Amino acid sequence: MKKSKLLVIVAFCIVGILLFCYIQYNAIHSSRLTVSEVTNIEEFLVEHNISTLYTDDIWYYKLCNTSVLIVDRRNAECRLYVHSSIKAGMDTDGTLKVIVKDRAAISEEDITGEYAAVIECKKAINNIQLTTEKELPV
């Protein structure tokens, strides 16, 4: 009798641990983000019928509930030796946190006067936070 109770308790614990692992795995993998660089920004804007105010800043446009276009035009006119890159993460409350990093360009081909990327997520995006970081040599 004791062995059968112990067996039931062990089985219950194993099922609980497996269920917990499945929930954690699902939570991590269901919110995966994909960041895709847009090579021809003007063509993309026309394709998606987006009219812009040509600002000298970073702006975003929500394409749908699960994707956002991020455009960085800070160096569009200056053509500084700066390369932008975008990293993103998603909070549990649906806040998309976007970090635009400024890096020194290695060569002239690496200069991006304008930079754009589409961020896609499997979960709905409720809010967007944009921040910038510099990774430039002093």
Side-chain angles (χ1 to χ4, degrees):
M1 189 69 164
K2 284 185 176 183
K3 286 186 178 182
S4 64
K5 284 184 180 180
L6 182 62
L7 188 60
V8 169
I9 292 172
V10 169
F12 183 73
C13 289
I14 290 173
V15 169
I17 291 170
L18 289 174
L19 183 62
F20 177 75
C21 290
Y22 174 74
I23 290 170
Q24 290 290 24
Y25 175 84
N26 216 12
I28 291 169
H29 292 299
S30 67
S31 66
R32 283 212 168 147
L33 299 173
T34 305
V35 179
S36 307
E37 184 177 349
V38 176
T39 53
N40 190 337
I41 299 170
E42 298 305 320
E43 184 179 307
F44 185 88
L45 295 176
V46 169
E47 254 179 47
H48 291 84
N49 199 22
I50 302 170
S51 60
T52 63
L53 300 172
Y54 290 94
T55 63
D56 295 332
D57 205 2
I58 301 170
W59 58 272
Y60 66 88
Y61 181 84
K62 206 166 178 185
L63 299 169
C64 66
N65 283 344
T66 58
S67 66
V68 174
L69 170 69
I70 308 290
V71 179
D72 180 2
R73 293 187 183 247
R74 294 172 297 158
N75 299 320
E77 300 302 321
C78 303
R79 302 287 296 170
L80 299 174
Y81 284 87
V82 174
H83 173 78
S84 297
S85 65
I86 293 178
K87 290 187 179 183
M90 178 77 95
D91 279 353
T92 55
D93 66 348
T95 300
L96 180 67
K97 294 188 174 189
V98 180
I99 300 170
V100 180
K101 279 192 173 184
D102 295 338
R103 299 179 184 200
I106 297 169
S107 65
E108 224 168 292
E109 291 83 32
D110 197 26
I111 298 171
T112 55
E114 298 177 323
Y115 182 80
V118 173
I119 301 172
E120 295 177 292
C121 182
K122 291 185 178 181
K123 287 185 174 180
I125 300 169
N126 299 324
N127 194 12
I128 301 169
Q129 276 183 344
L130 281 172
T131 57
T132 59
E133 290 183 3
K134 292 192 183 296
E135 203 174 280
L136 301 173
V138 179

